[in-house]
Amino acid sequence: NTASWEYYMGKNKFVDKIRNIESSRYIITPDTEKEFKIFPEDRGVLKSHYAALFGLYAAGGMEVMRVIHYENFSSILYSTQSLEEAKRYLDISGIGYLITINNIEDKDFKCLENISSGAKPVYLYEYLKAPGRFLMFNDAIYVDKTKDAVKKLTDKSVDLRSTLVLIGRNEKQQ
């Protein structure tokens, strides 16, 4: 497939909407990733590897720094079975926008824009409850291993907005 340089470098309607809050990340849902696999369609829906062209941050894109357990966390995030479950992880990952082929009916999401890529509509939603990239935690849970941290992150009884999960020892309790 071919496209012009102007198309490759040009903004789509989503760019300025996302850029309005520079510190917020966006995410492309797994079904949208599968639907738009090749150029130029993937460029049209602003897949994560195009984020840097516009100074944006995508959850699946390349940034200067990745936390050591990024792949573990990404696996948890992308394997969620419902939007309600996914919100737990959007909350702690600084994701404020969602690009999807699905129409979302949820009070915590506002549709900002939609475009057509081929015959499919693609929607940009703002996650209204996104706390941004900085959180204050009331509590911390310390675990010894990555496997235990994953268990705590997926434990629905743990409020991830107020409880930080850390691998290591709490030096104050020893």
Side-chain angles (χ1 to χ4, degrees), residues 10-20 46 54 56:
K11 294 181 190 177
N12 73 14
K13 292 181 179 180
F14 293 168
V15 170
D16 287 329
K17 301 278 184 186
I18 295 171
R19 187 177 285 157
N20 286 336
L46 200 58
F54 307 105
L56 302 176

Side-chain angles (χ1 to χ4, degrees), residues 61-83:
M62 296 296 156
E63 294 184 23
V64 174
M65 181 182 86
R66 281 196 174 196
V67 293
I68 192 167
H69 298 292
Y70 175 83
E71 297 304 326
N72 289 329
F73 182 77
S74 291
S75 177
I76 294 168
L77 174 62
Y78 285 110
S79 67
T80 57
Q81 299 299 306
S82 69
L83 186 58

Side-chain angles (χ1 to χ4, degrees), residues 35-143:
E35 183 70 31
F36 301 99
K37 293 181 183 177
I38 59 171
F39 183 80
E41 290 82 17
D42 67 337
R43 169 64 182 77
V45 299
L46 200 58
K47 284 184 75 171
S48 57
H49 43 271
Y50 297 106
L53 285 174
F54 307 105
L56 302 176
Y57 297 99
M62 296 296 156
E63 294 184 23
V64 174
M65 181 182 86
R66 281 196 174 196
V67 293
I68 192 167
H69 298 292
Y70 175 83
E71 297 304 326
N72 289 329
F73 182 77
S74 291
S75 177
I76 294 168
L77 174 62
Y78 285 110
S79 67
T80 57
Q81 299 299 306
S82 69
L83 186 58
E84 201 58 39
E85 183 183 358
K87 288 179 193 179
R88 289 172 42 83
Y89 307 111
L90 297 179
D91 286 346
I92 62 171
S93 59
I95 295 172
Y97 298 93
L98 186 74
I99 296 176
T100 183
I101 57 175
N102 301 306
N103 187 23
I104 296 177
E105 300 284 336
D106 186 293
K107 66 179 175 33
D108 296 332
F109 289 87
K110 176 183 175 185
C111 185
L112 297 178
E113 191 70 64
N114 65 70
I115 61 172
S116 290
S117 187
K120 286 256 186 207
V122 182
Y123 304 94
L124 171 64
Y125 288 92
E126 180 179 9
Y127 178 40
L128 299 173
K129 293 180 87 178
R133 292 181 83 169
F134 180 78
L135 289 173
M136 298 282 289
F137 296 96
N138 297 328
D139 199 8
I141 296 173
Y142 291 86
V143 296

